[in-house]
Amino acid sequence: MVPKAELHCHIEGAASPALVMAQAKKYGVDVSSFIRDNAYHWNDFTSFLKAYDRAAELFRTPEDYALLTENYLREIARDGAIYAEFFTSPDHAERVGLSPESYTEALAEGMRRAKSETGIESRMVVTGVRHVGAEAVVKAANFAANCGHPLVTGFGMAGDERMGAASDFARAFDIAREAGLGLTVHAGEFGGPESVRSALDTFAPTRIGHGVRAIEDDALVQRIAEEGIVLEVCPISNIVLGVYDRIENHPLPALKEAGCRVTVSSDDPPHFHTSLSNEYDVAKEHFGFDDGELLALTRTSVEAAFVDEATRTRLLERLNRASEA
Ligand SMILES: Nc1ncnc2[nH]cnc12
Ligand SMILES: [Zn+2]
C-alpha cells in the first residue's frame, strides 16, 4: 500500500451520514432534509454549504468533536495515511456555544487517540469562512495566532471565494504570518485565475486550496511552477461540485506536466462520496499515475506540510523506506 497524506480536509465536512444521524438522534433533530438513505443530499455549492452547516450544528460537545476527529483519522490511517492536516472552523464551534479553545482541545484529544491507536501524525489549520465576512476571518486568525496550541500550525480561509476582494482579508493573513503559521487559501475552485493570482499577491501563501482553475492562464501556471506553490487538489470534489464535468477533463495531469507541485485530498469526503484512498485510486486509474508518482504525491504533501522539521524528516524517512521496499 502506498503511504498517503492529506492536506485538505474540513473536519466538519468529514462527518459521515451515519455519524451525523447518530448525533441527530442524540439531540432530537430531524436531518431528513439533507440526509436520506445514508447519504447527503444537496444540489449545488450553495446548498452543499447549507447541508455542511446543518451537519456541523450536530457536533456540540468536546466529546462529539473528539469522536468525529478520531473516526476520520483512524479511517484514513487504515487506508495507509501517515499524515493528515485538517481545517478547523472556530466559527462553526461558536455557533453551538463551544469556545474556540475547548473546540481545539477536543479535536486535539481525537488526534491523540488516533495517534496512539494507529501512529498517524496530524496537525490543525484554523480557517476563517470567507462568506461570513472579514471581521470573522480576522477573529479566526487572532485565535490561531494566540492559542499557543502545539497542534495548530496553520491558518487558511475556506468558504465562497467569490465573496469580497482578497484585500479585505489581508489583515487576517498578516496576523497569521506574523505568528509563524503556515498559510493556505481556497482559490481557483469557483473563482478563475484572477482569484488565484490575487490570493498569491495578497496573502503570499505557500499552498493554494484547489487552485485548479489556474490552468486557464498559462502565465499563472508558470508562476505557480516557478514559485513552488503547492496545490491541494481535490479531484472528486471538483467533479461532484461541477467545477469540471468529467474526470477526463480534470486539469491535475496538465498542472503536473507543467511543473506545478500537486497533491491530492478529499475535501469533504462523505459529501462527495470519496475518501483519501479513493483520490489516490483516481490518480492511478484516471490519470495513469504509477506507484512512484503516487508516492511523489505523498512526498510533496509532506514537504509542504505545516510541521516542524524533525517531524517532516521522520515522515520523509518513512517514505524513503516505502520507496525502497
Ligand atoms: N470545497 C469547499 N470550498 C470552499 N469552502 C468549503 N468549505 C468546505 N468545503 C469547501
Ligand atoms: Zn476545501
Side-chain angles (χ1 to χ4, degrees):
M1 189 160 47
V2 172
K4 302 175 181 71
E6 173 134 275
L7 294 183
H8 189 124
C9 179
H10 303 258
I11 195 65
E12 285 83 4
S16 69
L19 179 59
V20 173
M21 283 191 299
Q23 295 294 114
K25 194 167 172 209
K26 177 171 163 185
Y27 294 119
V29 173
D30 178 13
V31 291
S32 60
S33 66
F34 67 100
I35 296 182
R36 289 186 295 281
D37 302 324
N38 202 29
Y40 285 109
H41 285 260
W42 43 261
N43 47 41
D44 57 15
F45 186 54
T46 306
S47 62
F48 154 68
L49 288 175
K50 250 186 216 137
Y52 179 100
D53 287 349
R54 293 284 312 276
E57 273 164 27
L58 294 165
F59 294 85
R60 299 182 176 179
T61 68
E63 180 49 32
D64 291 346
Y65 267 113
L67 182 67
L68 166 59
T69 308
E70 181 186 359
N71 283 357
Y72 159 65
L73 291 172
R74 275 171 63 155
E75 206 165 299
I76 62 169
R78 190 200 57 206
D79 289 344
I82 60 168
Y83 180 75
E85 235 163 65
F86 57 84
F87 297 129
T88 77
S89 172
D91 271 335
H92 283 87
E94 285 202 298
R95 280 178 218 166
V96 296
L98 261 187
S99 70
E101 289 79 9
S102 48
Y103 166 69
T104 302
E105 186 41 44
L107 300 172
E109 169 61 19
M111 293 160 81
R112 280 191 293 270
R113 287 185 205 161
K115 185 173 179 177
S116 74
E117 290 153 14
T118 68
I120 189 167
E121 194 67 66
S122 59
R123 296 292 185 273
M124 291 180 264
V125 176
V126 173
T127 57
V129 183
R130 186 168 184 147
H131 55 263
V132 176
E135 204 179 309
V137 179
V138 166
K139 193 170 165 197
N142 272 320
F143 171 69
N146 298 316
C147 71
H149 199 293
L151 298 176
V152 169
T153 54
F155 176 74
M157 182 163 67
D160 192 336
E161 71 180 287
R162 297 164 296 192
M163 304 293 275
S167 55
D168 299 345
F169 305 96
R171 195 158 78 82
F173 282 85
D174 289 346
I175 290 166
R177 191 182 310 101
E178 276 160 31
L181 295 168
L183 301 179
T184 177
V185 57
H186 282 59
E189 180 192 23
F190 288 98
E194 65 294 342
S195 172
V196 178
R197 191 176 283 108
S198 56
L200 291 174
D201 290 343
T202 312
F203 308 132
T206 56
R207 304 186 341 212
I208 292 279
H210 299 285
V212 283
R213 288 194 54 200
I215 199 68
E216 296 164 29
D217 182 327
D218 289 346
L220 178 61
V221 170
Q222 200 182 334
R223 174 180 175 184
I224 289 169
E226 280 172 11
E227 294 183 8
I229 303 296
V230 169
L231 302 179
E232 304 158 3
V233 184
C234 307
I236 297 302
S237 163
N238 295 156
I239 301 303
V240 177
L241 285 174
V243 181
Y244 298 101
D245 59 348
R246 319 149 32 96
I247 198 71
E248 288 70 25
N249 294 332
H250 194 280
L252 184 143
L255 289 162
K256 174 171 172 279
E257 203 51 41
C260 297
R261 302 174 74 198
V262 295
T263 63
V264 291
S265 286
S266 65
D267 208 4
D268 304 283
H271 285 273
F272 306 141
H273 309 285
T274 192
S275 63
L276 179 61
S277 89
N278 185 54
E279 301 292 335
Y280 276 76
D281 287 348
V282 164
K284 181 173 181 166
E285 283 157 29
H286 294 277
F287 304 150
F289 281 32
D290 62 23
D291 279 357
E293 290 171 304
L294 296 177
L295 196 61
L297 291 171
T298 308
R299 190 179 306 278
T300 302
S301 292
V302 171
E303 286 167 357
F306 300 149
V307 285
D308 56 280
E309 292 313 311
T311 304
R312 192 187 324 281
T313 300
R314 206 160 35 72
L315 291 167
L316 287 172
E317 281 167 4
R318 281 188 69 177
L319 297 184
N320 291 341
R321 285 198 297 276
S323 69
E324 285 156 11

